[in-house]
Structures are given as structure tokens and as C-alpha cells.
Amino acid sequence: MTTNSKRTTRSGRTLAATAAIAAAAVAGCASPVLDEAPGPSGVVVGTGTGTDGGLLAQLYAGALRRTGIDVTVRDPGDLAALDAAEVTLVPGYTGRLLRHFDPSAPQTDAEDVFTALGRALPTDLTVADYATAQDRAVLVLSDATAAALGVTGVDEIAGRCAELTVAATPGFAATGGLEALAAAGCVPAAVEQVADADAVRAATDRGALGALTTASPALVDAGLVALADAPDRAPGEDATAEDAQPPVFAAQNVVPLFRRDVFGERQLDALSVIAGELTTADLAVADAWLGEHV
């Protein structure tokens, strides 16, 4: 695997449960020994930002440790620390990272976002493969409201937004979800900033349009309908096809951002283990546990 290639295939105290989740994620899928060269020393994984940064940091640190190198987790350890070479790797999401490095980037499809991110990075930083797991903006309605409006997709809600209040979590805003809604022609009657998924549930019970992200445990509620966005293209699918409709909300796949020329082949392969194994459902389960216990 080469970095920046197209994809093929949550300060101080670390929670014991988070470490257990991390260990479970990499157990049984350790990368094989590809060479006998010693790995890097003094690797520091930062926790980045957001409620699940420490979880993702432990996942990547655990995978890297299995290659035989010493790895510590630093909290805080954000993009500024990465830029200053105080940390080696910071986990993040493709769309948020692209907005950071190129705020005007228009891409929303997963492959397009990843490719654009690779181009936007400073020369001393790079990324490895992104995971299927993502924390993407998503709109939800109660069963009753969805049935009353007769909508099932994001493209169908734009013309009805003037009738609705949007109840948006901080995560939804961080993904650029409000801007994406405006660009799609959705101008709601009001925007209500809500704290968490429980507040979204309460708002949708009142008929509001809930706006959160896909890793939220609220999405497992049977009483909520997630409005379908246009799907991401499959790798290699033609982006110029006449019927190719990009998603309204930008992809937010989990991805490791790290300093270039630090890791060897073993470590890069270990990072790919996360890309191949971590799912959005895994993130939702972890977020639910953290919400109940932290």
C-alpha cells in the first residue's frame, strides 16, 4: 500500500473500556510481518478533537503496537500538535479534514473527498486508507412526520424545509451539514441547536427535522426514519456519468493523518487493518457506551 493512494479494500485519562474496545478491534486481524526492518521509535498518537477522538486514537495505537513499536497516546493531541511534530498521527474524518485544509472544497463523494484531501495536505503530512466507518451528516424524521410528508430521501425534503424546524447537533454543524442543506435549497423555518441525540429524539417527536451524524446511537431507534442521501460511487465508477448524483452531505470516513516518511511497511499495513475492519456500527456502539458512562 502506498499513502495517498485510492482506497482498495476520544484529556488525560484513558478509559479502560476504550482500550478494551480497541484491543477487540485489532485482535485476530493483526497484520503479518512483512519485513524485518525495525519500526519507528517514539510514536505518539494524538486524540484529535470530538467525543470519539480518544477511542480512535486507541484503535490506531493498538494496531501500531502490534507491529512491535512503542506507542503512546497523547490527550490533547490535535492537528496543531501534529503540525508541530509533537505527535505522529491524529485520527480524523475525511470531510472534516478536507474542510480544514481546503475550506472551499466542493467534493462530497467518499472517493472524491479522499482524493481531494490527499491533494490539499501539506507536503509533510499524508493519510492511509480510509475506513468504511464514518460519522456523516444525516437527517431524520419521526415515523409519523415522514409518513405525513411523504418523503424518504434528502432530495425530497428541500421543498418542504420551509415547513420545518431543523434540530441540529454540534456534530452535524461540524460536518458542514447546515451549509450543505442551504446549498441544496433547504431553508428551514428555524434552526434549533440541540446538545445531543436525546434532544434530537425529543425534537422529532414534535415534528422537527433532526440533523445529526451517522455514528449517533439515535439511529438505531425504530421510531426514526433516516432520509436517504445519494450513495457514494464505487471505487473506479465514472464520476462524469450523466446520472451520477453526488451526495448532499460530504463523506466523513475515519482516516489516520500522520507525518510522512515515519512509518514502514508493517505500520502502514497495520493502519489498513482499521480501514478494513472498522464500521459505522462499531462507532455507534462505542459512542452509546461513552454517552452512558462518561
Side-chain angles (χ1 to χ4, degrees):
M1 186 203 77
T2 57
T3 56
N4 282 348
S5 62
K6 294 274 284 187
R7 182 177 180 272
T8 57
T9 49
R10 174 190 303 249
S11 51
R13 182 172 60 93
T14 300
L15 295 170
T18 302
I21 294 170
V26 298
C29 58
S31 59
V33 175
L34 299 179
D35 57 58
E36 296 301 323
S41 60
V43 169
V44 181
V45 176
T47 57
T49 58
T51 54
D52 51 6
L55 166 66
L56 294 174
Q58 290 293 339
L59 286 170
Y60 283 111
L64 290 169
R65 288 190 188 104
R66 294 178 71 89
T67 70
I69 64 174
D70 292 329
V71 183
T72 59
V73 174
R74 171 175 163 171
D75 186 0
D78 55 13
L79 293 179
L82 182 65
D83 184 60
E86 295 170 356
V87 300
T88 314
L89 180 152
V90 173
Y93 297 94
T94 53
R96 291 174 179 85
L97 289 172
L98 180 57
R99 279 168 58 88
H100 175 84
F101 290 106
D102 185 1
S104 64
Q107 291 83 2
T108 59
D109 176 82
E111 286 286 303
D112 292 344
V113 168
F114 183 66
T115 300
L117 174 60
R119 289 196 295 257
L121 290 176
T123 57
D124 57 343
L125 298 179
T126 189
V127 287
D129 290 346
Y130 63 82
T132 301
Q134 62 173 318
D135 196 26
R136 193 176 202 152
V138 63
L139 300 176
V140 296
L141 291 169
S142 69
D143 282 334
T145 303
L149 294 176
V151 299
T152 58
V154 175
D155 58 338
E156 301 169 332
I157 200 66
R160 312 300 299 269
C161 284
E163 308 169 37
L164 300 168
T165 292
V166 171
T169 63
F172 183 86
T175 67
L178 293 172
E179 296 90 334
L181 278 181
C186 176
V187 182
V191 175
E192 178 185 350
Q193 302 290 341
V194 297
D196 53 29
D198 288 336
V200 168
R201 293 188 192 97
T204 57
D205 287 344
R206 301 192 304 267
L209 177 62
L212 61 171
T213 56
T214 54
S216 170
L219 293 183
V220 303
D221 285 2
L224 289 179
V225 175
L227 300 184
D229 203 350
D232 292 314
R233 301 190 322 274
E237 187 176 339
D238 188 0
T240 63
E242 290 185 5
D243 60 347
Q245 179 66 34
V248 170
F249 299 122
Q252 301 290 346
N253 297 82
V254 173
V255 70
L257 175 65
F258 51 95
R259 299 196 64 80
R260 188 183 293 275
D261 299 328
V262 170
F263 296 126
E265 194 171 6
R266 291 189 203 180
Q267 289 75 46
L268 295 175
D269 183 65
L271 295 178
S272 291
V273 169
I274 305 300
E277 299 292 332
L278 188 65
T279 69
T280 301
D282 294 330
L283 289 181
V285 170
D287 281 351
W289 192 97
L290 289 165
E292 293 174 3
H293 295 88
V294 179

